[in-house]
Amino acid sequence: MTLSTRHLLGIKDLTAQDISLILQTAQEFKEVLQRPIKKVPSLRDVTIVNLFFENSTRTRISFELAEKRLSADTVNFTASGSSVSKGETLLDTVNNILSMKVDMVVMRHSASGAPHFLAKHIPAAIINAGDGINEHPTQALLDALSIKEKHGTLEGVKVAIIGDIMHSRVAQSNLYLLNKMGAEVVVCGPPTLIPKHLSEAFGVRVEYNLRKALEWCDVANVLRIQLERQNEVLFSSLREYNLAYGISRRLLDSLPKPITIMHPGPINRGVELDSDVANSDQSIILQQVENGVAVRMAALYLLSNRQNA
Ligand code: CP
């Protein structure tokens, strides 16, 4: 089986079959990652460049590891220390790199739509590793794999996406994915951090009361407050935010049933999640990170056209 798309620019462009194929392939790669030798020759002679124009810890390391586990040749680029600071355009930067015979590009950029722009201009397959406030497709896929592992299915699972929905590419990709895969979704956060059109655009319920959202859900996917993307003050202070929307151990223990806690990272401890919640048995945050490698191996492999090689 193959994907219906040549690039992975967003979950918006994937079919439910594409998502199932990536998750199933990721499960197979997870088995490889349990072996003493965690490496397969699937992408031998494939050259991949990781273009990170914006900071990253998890996504960048995860893609690099995924590429190494698949035996690809990799080149890493970060904007700091490059000729971008001398005024070089995105297209010139990428064309120069591609002239060195690169087959695939993994790109993170602070501008929404940057990987879509590149996809129109270059022949290599592109994977979006997060573009501005638009999408972060591999994060939604690893979130989905983690929910599936914990709850057995995505269909009918009740997921509350909590926090800064307005500035979150993780929220947008999760909303597309969970809708396509039949999960039930509620978004919860301060009214100033939830876009007005969201309810109609995604057919999801908006809940401003954190306790009600937590009492309803099986899974709480708690998002980071993205201070770097907020141009104006959208809530009074981090302390006020924590009082209204932070998840404490006491709040978790007062719920009618145990729920699963997720967070894409990096966590603002003591703001959206208290440390004893992030570190608790109910948290699958580190399983999410672990699943990131297998999901990215699956995406790279399926987009490489090496399945039939
Ligand atoms: N979840 C995520 O994208 O984390 P990084 O910004 O560290 O890659």
Side-chain angles (χ1 to χ4, degrees), residues 118-146:
L118 272 196
K120 290 199 178 95
H121 290 92
I122 65 170
I126 297 176
I127 300 184
N128 179 4
D131 64 321
I133 58 169
N134 180 40
E135 282 223 42
H136 191 350
T138 55
Q139 179 69 46
L141 287 159
L142 72 89
D143 290 345
L145 183 60
S146 307

Side-chain angles (χ1 to χ4, degrees), residues 28-211:
E28 287 162 22
F29 280 128
K30 266 200 92 167
E31 284 169 30
V32 171
L33 296 175
Q34 308 304 323
R35 296 180 194 160
I37 297 172
K38 304 173 184 54
K39 203 161 175 157
V40 285
S42 313
L43 296 196
R44 204 164 49 200
D45 297 327
V46 173
T47 304
I48 303 171
V49 61
N50 300 307
L51 295 178
F52 278 73
F53 291 87
E54 193 190 74
N55 293 346
S56 168
T57 298
R58 279 147 290 271
T59 310
R60 196 172 134 193
I61 293 175
S62 185
F63 267 113
E64 283 182 40
L65 271 177
E67 291 153 6
K68 288 186 197 311
R69 304 294 191 222
L70 291 167
S71 307
D73 294 322
T74 62
V75 185
N76 297 313
F77 166 95
T78 49
S80 61
S82 76
S83 290
V84 169
S85 62
K86 299 175 192 166
E88 188 163 70
T89 66
L90 173 61
L91 197 51
D92 277 343
T93 299
V94 174
N95 273 332
N96 274 277
I97 293 169
L98 287 182
S99 69
M100 299 179 222
K101 305 281 174 270
V102 166
D103 302 301
M104 299 179 82
V105 174
V106 173
M107 186 167 87
R108 168 168 289 195
H109 203 286
S110 58
S112 300
H116 307 69
F117 168 77
L118 272 196
K120 290 199 178 95
H121 290 92
I122 65 170
I126 297 176
I127 300 184
N128 179 4
D131 64 321
I133 58 169
N134 180 40
E135 282 223 42
H136 191 350
T138 55
Q139 179 69 46
L141 287 159
L142 72 89
D143 290 345
L145 183 60
S146 307
I147 294 173
K148 223 166 161 246
E149 280 180 353
K150 180 79 185 176
H151 293 269
T153 178
L154 292 168
E155 178 111 38
V157 175
K158 293 178 176 169
V159 182
I161 304 177
I162 295 165
D164 184 357
I165 313 294
M166 175 94 80
H167 301 95
S168 177
R169 55 196 177 205
V170 175
Q172 178 126 301
S173 287
N174 264 277
L175 283 165
Y176 282 124
L177 189 148
L178 293 167
N179 265 352
K180 286 175 198 241
M181 301 310 281
E184 290 184 49
V185 185
V186 157
V187 294
C188 175
T192 49
L193 293 181
I194 298 184
K196 298 274 177 289
H197 70 275
L198 198 82
S199 195
E200 304 88 73
F202 288 99
V204 294
R205 188 157 66 83
V206 176
E207 173 60 69
Y208 299 114
N209 182 294
L210 176 65
R211 170 173 283 283

Side-chain angles (χ1 to χ4, degrees), residues 224-282:
R224 182 173 69 87
I225 290 292
Q226 307 217 1
L227 293 171
E228 75 277 21
R229 294 192 213 280
Q230 295 183 14
N231 299 324
E232 52 198 304
V233 177
L234 295 170
F235 51 89
S236 47
S237 70
L238 290 179
R239 186 170 149 65
E240 294 289 323
Y241 181 87
N242 176 251
L243 286 173
Y245 290 100
I247 302 183
S248 65
R249 183 75 249 176
R250 183 192 289 217
L251 174 56
L252 214 52
D253 288 343
S254 71
L255 299 175
K257 63 175 191 301
I259 61 167
T260 302
I261 298 289
M262 299 173 67
H263 193 298
I267 305 169
N268 293 308
R269 286 177 185 258
V271 180
E272 61 260 5
L273 279 183
D274 283 0
S275 271
D276 52 4
V277 173
N279 301 341
S280 73
D281 290 347
Q282 285 171 251

